[in-house]
Amino acid sequence: MQYANLGHTNLRLSVLGLGTVQLGIAYGLDQQPPPPDDRVIKLIRRALELGINYIDTAAEYGRSESLVGRACAGLTCQPVIATKLSIRDADNAGLLTGQALRQSVEQSLRQSLQRLGVDVLELVQLHSLDTRFATPELLDLLAQYCQRGWVRYWGVTTYGEEAPLDALDHPELIRALQIPYSALDRRMEREVIPRAQAQGTGVFLRSIFLQGVLSHRLDSLPAALNGLSPLAAPLLRLAQDAGMDLAELALRFAAFASGAHSAIFGTTNVSELEANIRAVEAGPLPPDLVAAVRAIEVEDSALLNPGNWRLSTP
């Protein structure tokens, strides 16, 4: 397993990170319920045994934080655990401000510390931002929790370009971005990743399998998503010609993308976990294959956003 420092932080992370959303709630194309607790703990510990040292969780992922805490309790070598909190106002489409913001942030941090069983949160990410958000009030509040020793580093998880570009205006406080990226969805390469790389902001890639579209699940997509199959077909042909499956191509393309520090994947299956680790240990894709992937363009980028997918009709 390869490791690298996360931008200008002292966090040294594996090139693969384990995402835990489907370990805590129903998620993805099939919306299957999460596995029993003992299987989740076994899977997390197996990931750590195989060299993964970065775990991505969130307060909104059901029991995920608690299970990560239980799986990591008592370990001599603790992984880097990143969690998330929301600053969205549940009563309207905006963001929290004032006392409501302060109360929500403090409560979420207290609960994450307790569930994870740690004294300090190594990385806390503001969850699912898609607009400008970095007000003086918010930035001052985040800085206070660093000063109090509750949070070591702050980051954000984002959609689109507006939010990550706003985050990049504050590199002294917001030290990491988590962005969607895959062999088909390379939009963040235009401006976000180069700017993050230039100023030393950490970059996590998520949705590297496009919620399973770029994997063996391509053969069993819900009928409502049949339109995605032609998008992935050119990648599937490239993978077959190279003697690998689609998931391996997608994983190796993302894991070794320029400017990225760790690619996050999720699974509920130990054998799938082990296959992903074997794939990344094979190293980067050959340059000619990378070039062939990059030659594939998706005209309608809206198709790459799972938020636009309709899995059922009214």
Side-chain angles (χ1 to χ4, degrees):
M1 183 72 67
Q2 294 187 23
Y3 301 84
N5 272 41
L6 179 67
H8 289 167
T9 75
N10 65 358
L11 301 178
R12 190 160 181 82
L13 307 180
S14 49
V15 69
L16 281 185
L18 179 65
T20 62
V21 58
Q22 62 260 67
L23 301 181
I25 60 174
Y27 180 76
L29 299 178
D30 52 12
Q31 289 290 295
Q32 288 295 310
D37 291 5
D38 60 336
R39 281 181 50 198
V40 170
I41 292 171
K42 179 181 177 181
L43 184 143
I44 292 171
R45 289 179 176 168
R46 183 59 176 154
L48 299 177
E49 289 172 0
L50 294 174
I52 287 178
N53 79 336
Y54 172 68
I55 300 176
D56 182 88
T57 186
E60 296 183 353
Y61 293 172
R63 69 191 197 283
S64 171
E65 278 188 321
S66 297
L67 292 173
V68 170
R70 287 170 58 189
C72 298
L75 296 179
T76 302
C77 186
Q78 286 288 324
V80 176
I81 302 171
T83 192
K84 309 180 188 76
L85 62 81
S86 176
I87 58 171
R88 292 189 174 277
D89 187 341
D91 295 328
N92 59 58
L95 301 177
L96 294 169
T97 60
Q99 185 65 14
L101 172 65
R102 292 190 292 274
Q103 289 179 342
S104 179
V105 169
E106 175 133 351
Q107 180 182 27
S108 186
L109 292 176
R110 284 187 183 277
Q111 291 175 342
S112 292
L113 286 164
Q114 180 180 25
R115 292 177 188 135
L116 292 169
V118 296
D119 296 324
V120 60
L121 299 166
E122 296 281 358
L123 176 64
V124 180
Q125 302 163 98
L126 305 181
H127 204 171
S128 297
L129 299 173
D130 57 7
T131 61
R132 295 183 66 86
F133 64 92
T135 63
E137 175 190 38
L138 174 64
L139 296 174
D140 180 66
L141 181 62
L142 301 186
Q144 289 178 32
Y145 285 103
C146 291
Q147 294 162 5
R148 292 168 65 177
W150 290 29
V151 176
R152 185 151 294 141
Y153 299 113
W154 288 99
V156 293
T157 73
T158 62
Y159 293 88
E161 289 187 324
E162 186 176 345
L165 291 176
D166 190 26
L168 288 168
D169 284 337
H170 308 279
E172 72 289 344
L173 183 61
I174 299 175
R175 310 296 289 275
L177 305 176
Q178 188 186 119
I179 54 177
Y181 181 90
S182 70
L184 283 182
D185 185 2
R186 306 185 301 274
R187 291 172 291 173
M188 294 296 104
E189 292 180 344
R190 290 192 296 248
E191 187 173 359
V192 172
I193 292 177
R195 186 173 161 193
Q197 189 173 20
Q199 65 187 47
T201 298
V203 174
F204 297 105
L205 305 180
R206 71 170 187 277
S207 297
I208 61 174
F209 296 118
L210 206 56
Q211 291 202 12
V213 173
L214 302 183
S215 74
H216 65 87
R217 295 177 179 85
L218 180 64
D219 296 329
S220 56
L221 294 179
L225 298 182
N226 284 340
L228 296 175
S229 294
L231 301 182
L235 286 178
L236 178 60
R237 288 193 293 271
L238 288 177
Q240 292 172 337
D241 290 344
M244 66 183 72
D245 60 30
L246 178 57
E248 179 179 348
L249 182 144
L251 177 60
R252 291 170 66 187
F253 181 87
F256 298 100
S258 177
H261 298 94
S262 189
I264 301 166
F265 74 97
T267 183
T268 59
N269 186 289
V270 170
S271 63
E272 193 170 78
L273 164 74
E274 295 172 345
N276 286 343
I277 291 173
R278 287 194 302 271
V280 82
E281 288 179 343
L285 296 173
D288 58 338
L289 183 52
V290 172
V293 171
R294 291 189 170 282
I296 298 170
E297 298 287 347
V298 175
E299 292 185 8
D300 185 0
S301 61
L303 294 172
L304 300 172
N305 182 0
N308 297 328
W309 299 351
R310 300 191 61 172
L311 298 179
S312 61
T313 55

